[in-house]
Amino acid sequence: MATRLVQINMKARDDSALGGFWAQALGWEISSEGPGVTNLEPEGFVYPDPVAVCVDLIVSSEPKTVKNRVHVDLATTSAAHQAQVVARLTDLGATAADVGQGDVPWTVMADPEGNEFCVLEPRALYRDTGPIAAVVVDCADPRAMARFWSEATDWTLHEVTDQGARLRSAKGVGPYLEFVRTPDVKSGWNRVHLDVRPYPGDDPEAEAARLRSLGATPINLGQDVPWRVLADPEGNEFCLLTPG
C-alpha cells in the first residue's frame, strides 16, 4: 500500500479572493466544491494525477501569526522571466517578505493573506515541474522526514543530506516535495498542510494503521468527516483522504 500527495490545503480568511490570486499566479482553473472551499487545478487536469499537486483553500477565521512551515516555490525559466513573475504577482497583490533569507538569488514574497512563497531563479532541476517547482516543508531533521514521507507515499527519494531532502512522484513528473532544515520550532496548527490519498480499492483503516506504524500520530478533531487527520513525526498535520 501507499498514498499519493494530491494537494496542499491552505486556510484562508477569504477563500474566494485568495483562490483568485493563486489561480492567476499559477495560471490554473478555479472551482468550488461547496461554501468556504475554493479548488485550484490546471486546465484539463484529471484528478488525481502526479503531474500537479492541486491547491484547496478552506475558509478559516483563525489569524495567521507565525511563518508557515509549508510553502510553495514557483519555477521560472530565465532571469527575465523571474523578474516578470515577481512584477506580475506584485500587481496581483503579493508583497516582498523577509524571513531572514539574506542575499539569495530567489525572491521571497507573501500572498495577500501573508502566506510566504518563493519565486526561484531559473534552475534546470525544475524545468519540467509546471508552475510549482516544489512544495517545501520546514523541519528539524530532513533525513527522518524523508524516510517517513518516502515510505508513507509512493514518491521517490532523489536527494538527502543533513540540510535538506528532495522527493518526487515515482512517475518523474510534477513538483518536488522538499524538506529543509530550519531552527524554527513548530508553533500551533499549520495553516498550510499536505493531503494524501490512497489508491482505489485500498483499505483506509489499514493505510492509517500503516502510517501510524511509520511514526504518524492520529489527531482527533471531534468531527465526523470521511478523512483522517494525522501528524508526521515532527508534528505537521496532514489529511489521509478516502481512496480514489
Side-chain angles (χ1 to χ4, degrees), residues 1-3 151-153 205-216:
M1 294 188 295
T3 65
E151 294 177 353
T153 68
E205 290 288 350
E207 185 57 37
R210 187 183 73 87
L211 293 173
R212 291 195 299 271
S213 73
L214 296 175

Side-chain angles (χ1 to χ4, degrees), residues 10-19 21-22 57-66 68 92-95 109-117 191:
M10 182 182 298
K11 300 295 186 289
R13 293 190 301 274
D14 185 334
D15 64 285
S16 179
L18 193 59
F21 168 84
W22 280 105
L57 299 105
I58 310 298
V59 71
S60 172
S61 60
E62 296 180 5
K64 182 180 186 296
T65 58
V66 297
N68 290 337
L92 292 174
T95 55
M109 307 188 78
D111 71 19
E113 291 200 7
N115 299 295
E116 303 86 4
F117 66 95
R191 288 184 65 81

Side-chain angles (χ1 to χ4, degrees), residues 15-107:
D15 64 285
S16 179
L18 193 59
F21 168 84
W22 280 105
Q24 293 183 75
L26 301 173
W28 285 6
E29 293 186 329
I30 188 169
S31 62
S32 176
E33 63 189 67
V37 181
T38 298
N39 312 103
L40 308 179
E41 59 184 38
E43 182 179 358
F45 183 78
V46 179
Y47 177 93
D49 187 325
V51 72
V53 172
C54 300
V55 180
D56 279 5
L57 299 105
I58 310 298
V59 71
S60 172
S61 60
E62 296 180 5
K64 182 180 186 296
T65 58
V66 297
K67 175 181 176 290
N68 290 337
R69 293 189 70 79
V70 180
H71 72 266
V72 296
D73 284 351
L74 304 184
T76 64
T77 57
S78 67
H81 183 220
Q82 182 185 15
Q84 291 168 2
V85 170
V86 169
R88 183 170 64 85
L89 296 179
T90 300
D91 288 342
L92 292 174
T95 55
D98 186 350
V99 294
Q101 69 269 21
D103 184 15
V104 294
W106 59 89
T107 302

Side-chain angles (χ1 to χ4, degrees), residues 152-169:
T153 68
D154 63 357
W155 283 37
T156 301
L157 182 61
H158 282 249
E159 180 183 357
V160 60
T161 70
D162 290 340
Q163 299 305 313
R166 180 178 293 117
L167 290 75
R168 197 183 194 190
S169 165

Side-chain angles (χ1 to χ4, degrees), residues 87-229:
R88 183 170 64 85
L89 296 179
T90 300
D91 288 342
L92 292 174
T95 55
D98 186 350
V99 294
Q101 69 269 21
D103 184 15
V104 294
W106 59 89
T107 302
V108 182
M109 307 188 78
D111 71 19
E113 291 200 7
N115 299 295
E116 303 86 4
F117 66 95
C118 297
V119 181
L120 300 180
E121 77 282 7
R123 303 183 192 180
L125 179 68
Y126 303 129
R127 65 183 180 277
D128 62 348
T129 60
I132 298 179
V135 179
V136 183
V137 182
D138 292 351
C139 67
D141 188 341
R143 292 185 183 276
M145 290 288 277
R147 182 166 53 251
F148 171 81
W149 281 99
S150 63
E151 294 177 353
T153 68
D154 63 357
W155 283 37
T156 301
L157 182 61
H158 282 249
E159 180 183 357
V160 60
T161 70
D162 290 340
Q163 299 305 313
R166 180 178 293 117
L167 290 75
R168 197 183 194 190
S169 165
K171 295 186 177 180
V173 297
Y176 289 84
L177 175 61
E178 299 182 354
F179 300 95
V180 177
R181 181 183 291 278
T182 173
D184 299 336
V185 178
K186 184 179 185 293
S187 174
W189 286 81
N190 288 346
R191 288 184 65 81
V192 183
H193 70 252
L194 309 180
D195 285 346
V196 299
R197 187 180 293 276
Y199 281 88
D202 282 354
D203 180 351
E205 290 288 350
E207 185 57 37
R210 187 183 73 87
L211 293 173
R212 291 195 299 271
S213 73
L214 296 175
T217 54
I219 297 176
N220 185 359
L221 299 179
Q223 295 177 307
D224 183 18
V225 293
W227 58 87
R228 290 159 179 78
V229 183

